[in-house]
Amino acid sequence: MDGQPIYDASEGEETTSLLPHQQRRARRLRPAVGAAVACVAAFGAVAVVTNARTTELRRSNDPEIGNVGRRSAAKTPTIVISLLDDQGYADVPWLAQDAATQSAMPFADALRKDAGGVDVKNYHTWRDCTPSRAMLLTGRHHAQLGMHVPLLAGATAALPTDEQTIGELLEKARPGAYHRAIVGKWDLGAASPKYVPTARGFDAFTGFYNAMIDYFDWTIESVAMTDIAGTILDAQRNDGPSPKAAGQYTTRFLRDAALGEVAAAKTAGKALFLYAAWNAIHYDVAIPDAHALGQPVYMKAVGLGLPQERALALAALRIVDAANEWIYSRLDRDNTIWIQTSDNGGEPHKGASNYPLRGGKGSGWQGGTQVPCFMWLRANLRGSL
């Protein structure tokens, strides 16, 4: 894809946007409350319906529609799920309550406003991480999966092996069509080799198995097992350790891993399914010193009198936003489905904001379950949904 990210000032300047020039108001879905899996399960089936209905498209009497159908049938869409960790309801520019938050995710805001943008205004997930991620990847409620609480470091439980993940379903629907990759947080069990991502329908995995790690040294942080906190490296590549990650800022390292998966898919001649499960903004948030993107947002937040935890969280979101744009810059933007949301509500005492909702992560109030979500649909799906 031509061009470089325009919102990543540390990587160079650009004068034109990567987004298509034709703009219109973002489409908005009517409020529809449901589990996090609602949108993901639907788009996990895109590969099936795109293939199944091409015959119907070819029957069209409209030559233009007929041509569209043949092109769509020949090209399987790229699917990206960008999942933030503990991002609150008001931690996005379009729901922001202050100028610092409004400047924290310019790329996401531009993508949402683009002609392919769909704003899911009343999107609900679960109140904490493991159950939410289990639902996201299987399309089943956590109660059906027996995944009721977060899996902390040392847990022996896991996502049941008789449940199919979206990676397995894509392979079943379109054998060999997708390079299926995860970068970031797994959090669905790793006590046995049969529990890890490469045994659960994914070709590649770069990230960490447990619920929380240090942003720089990649060691496990645990509120339940403080005796191991800061002593065990949780940096993984496929089914083995990745010690070279230690010392590298998580968001940047995961960004580079994601770009590698984009390249791997192209080399293999396959479409890409990428699940990017970022570490940010899970506590305890940290950013690199003098970061060209994070520091201006941090200083703006401090100048507005916001607490340091809030300033750090917004700065970390700015770095994730730039990472997402780098990934986007390597994709075929006319054949991509992008879904971006959070695993659960934010933690106000750790820098997130769920305003005006009550409660936050771990609570049964709305602030624990209602999160920002948007989709960007530039793949040619006419007649497929």
Side-chain angles (χ1 to χ4, degrees), residues 105-122:
M105 303 189 79
F107 171 69
D109 198 28
L111 198 62
R112 182 190 66 92
K113 291 177 179 176
D114 183 66
V118 179
D119 193 5
V120 189
K121 296 181 67 177
N122 201 5

Side-chain angles (χ1 to χ4, degrees), residues 303-360:
L304 291 171
L306 300 179
Q308 183 181 23
E309 292 85 356
R310 180 68 177 157
L312 285 171
L314 294 176
L317 285 174
R318 182 66 189 88
I319 300 171
V320 171
D321 190 64
N324 273 330
E325 190 185 6
W326 270 101
I327 296 169
Y328 168 86
S329 75
R330 299 296 193 270
L331 304 177
D332 177 359
R333 64 187 179 199
D334 292 323
N335 194 45
T336 293
I337 298 167
W338 186 288
I339 303 169
Q340 186 162 321
T341 187
S342 176
D343 62 341
N344 44 248
E347 294 201 67
H349 64 291
K350 296 293 186 179
S353 173
N354 302 306
Y355 183 86
L357 307 180
R358 182 179 182 180

Side-chain angles (χ1 to χ4, degrees), residues 27-377:
R27 288 175 286 164
R28 297 180 183 271
L29 296 182
R30 295 292 181 184
V33 179
V37 24
C39 76
V40 179
F43 289 102
V46 164
V48 181
V49 294
T50 302
N51 184 52
R53 297 189 181 179
T54 52
T55 302
E56 178 183 352
L57 287 169
R58 291 192 184 103
R59 292 197 190 105
S60 172
N61 294 324
D62 186 331
E64 177 62 22
I65 293 178
N67 289 336
V68 168
R70 282 186 284 274
R71 288 197 300 270
S72 178
K75 200 166 187 181
T76 304
T78 293
I79 303 174
V80 176
I81 300 175
S82 178
L83 186 70
L84 279 292
D85 198 340
D86 295 357
Q87 182 183 35
Y89 181 76
D91 289 339
V92 289
W94 53 97
L95 297 170
Q97 303 300 310
D98 58 77
T101 309
Q102 290 170 353
S103 63
M105 303 189 79
F107 171 69
D109 198 28
L111 198 62
R112 182 190 66 92
K113 291 177 179 176
D114 183 66
V118 179
D119 193 5
V120 189
K121 296 181 67 177
N122 201 5
Y123 182 76
H124 286 65
T125 177
W126 192 243
R127 64 191 182 192
D128 41 35
C129 50
T130 301
S132 171
R133 292 162 193 266
M135 295 194 301
L136 183 73
L137 291 185
T138 64
R140 291 168 63 81
H141 195 274
H142 72 87
Q144 296 173 298
L145 302 170
M147 306 291 285
H148 305 294
V149 296
L151 296 181
L152 301 179
T156 57
L159 181 70
T161 55
D162 59 349
E163 296 289 346
Q164 291 185 310
T165 68
I166 191 171
E168 292 169 303
L169 292 172
L170 283 172
E171 179 62 18
K172 183 177 180 180
R174 299 292 298 275
Y178 276 97
H179 175 68
R180 298 151 294 148
I182 297 179
V183 297
K185 179 174 173 176
W186 174 237
D187 198 31
L188 294 176
S192 166
K194 65 183 179 181
Y195 296 155
V196 302
T198 50
R200 304 307 305 270
F202 294 93
D203 301 307
F205 169 66
T206 302
F208 53 102
Y209 290 145
N210 291 281
M212 50 192 295
I213 60 170
D214 182 88
Y215 278 71
F216 288 97
D217 66 23
W218 292 68
T219 55
I220 293 175
E221 295 184 347
S222 175
V223 294
M225 302 179 67
T226 54
D227 55 319
I228 68 169
T231 64
I232 298 178
L233 182 69
D234 188 12
Q236 315 294 333
R237 171 62 182 166
N238 294 330
D239 55 355
S242 179
K244 67 179 181 179
Q248 300 194 47
Y249 187 61
T250 51
T251 301
R252 283 298 181 95
F253 187 84
L254 295 174
R255 179 203 69 177
D256 291 345
L259 295 177
E261 300 303 346
V262 174
K266 291 180 179 179
T267 299
K270 296 182 178 183
L272 174 67
F273 173 74
L274 176 66
Y275 171 42
W278 304 103
N279 188 38
I281 53 175
H282 198 291
Y283 63 86
D284 292 317
V285 183
I287 63 170
D289 291 338
H291 192 279
L293 295 173
Q295 281 296 328
V297 174
Y298 175 83
M299 294 307 298
K300 179 180 287 189
V302 171
L304 291 171
L306 300 179
Q308 183 181 23
E309 292 85 356
R310 180 68 177 157
L312 285 171
L314 294 176
L317 285 174
R318 182 66 189 88
I319 300 171
V320 171
D321 190 64
N324 273 330
E325 190 185 6
W326 270 101
I327 296 169
Y328 168 86
S329 75
R330 299 296 193 270
L331 304 177
D332 177 359
R333 64 187 179 199
D334 292 323
N335 194 45
T336 293
I337 298 167
W338 186 288
I339 303 169
Q340 186 162 321
T341 187
S342 176
D343 62 341
N344 44 248
E347 294 201 67
H349 64 291
K350 296 293 186 179
S353 173
N354 302 306
Y355 183 86
L357 307 180
R358 182 179 182 180
K361 176 181 179 178
S363 80
W365 299 108
Q366 196 171 2
T369 60
Q370 187 170 355
V371 295
C373 176
F374 74 89
M375 309 175 201
W376 188 73
L377 310 177

